[in-house]
Amino acid sequence: MNQETNKILIAPSLLAANFAKLGEEFATVEAAGADWLHLDVMDGHFVPNITFGPLIVKALRPLSKMPLDVHLMIAPADPYITAFAEAGADHISVHPESGPHLHRTLQAIRALGKKAGVVLNPATPVEAIAHVLDLTDLIMVMTVNPGFGGQAFISSQLAKIATLRRMIDASGRDIILQVDGGITEKTAGPVLAAGATCLIAGTAIFGAESYAQAIAKIRAATPAKRPSLTETVG
Ligand code: DX5
Ligand code: ZN
């Protein structure tokens, strides 16, 4: 959650957009009320799909001031971090499995003045981030296996989201807890109740007739009362 506005952040994933009209799609989803644009970078090696690299980030950057949330599904990631930073990424998130030195990778992202994120695959334990919280601005829980949009939400990850909520609150750090994969107006409720503060959605937004309505429906899934910071600790 954005601590200043107490607002749940919605980050549409461009993966589900019309790739022949990326600029227009970006403008439309911004006008529809999106907070960030989520960009899925895939290499056909770390995940079984290929998307795009820094050139697309660079092309989209001048079109808006909206934060660009770059999700790297590439291995190794380290050699490309500078290129994504220079292309205009605001957030750069990596999977711990993409390289042997997560601590160094996060240091490198921060040294470039960008927010650093760690992404946990469904089978990756929360312990993967326990000792790098001081270098982490964003934690992203995958609720599908990375590589494709339009997959079914993996509900076993709700317990992980709740555990991470407690870890973040106990740390006292201003870390944004994102959830990526299978987010719809139905799954958004339980995810927000578990403590997520940023929802990433591809198909549910770009597959909808009205992006604004789709974003509004996901936002409306916000539970009436989220547990407060103190209530969730311990
Ligand atoms: C999957 C990507 C997701 C994907 C989500 O590897 O990280 O961001 O676009 O798509 P939906 O919302 O369709 O599950
Ligand atoms: Zn993603």
Side-chain angles (χ1 to χ4, degrees), residues 11-16 38-42 47 71 73 95 119 140 142-153 179-184 200-205:
S13 166
L14 200 67
L15 188 63
H38 183 80
L39 296 157
D40 290 301
V41 178
M42 305 185 187
V47 289
H71 175 187
M73 287 162 273
H95 288 249
V119 193
M140 191 189 306
M142 292 306 301
T143 41
V144 297
N145 283 294
F148 302 95
Q151 302 180 79
F153 180 83
V179 175
D180 187 11
I183 294 294
T184 63
I200 296 157
T203 310
I205 295 173

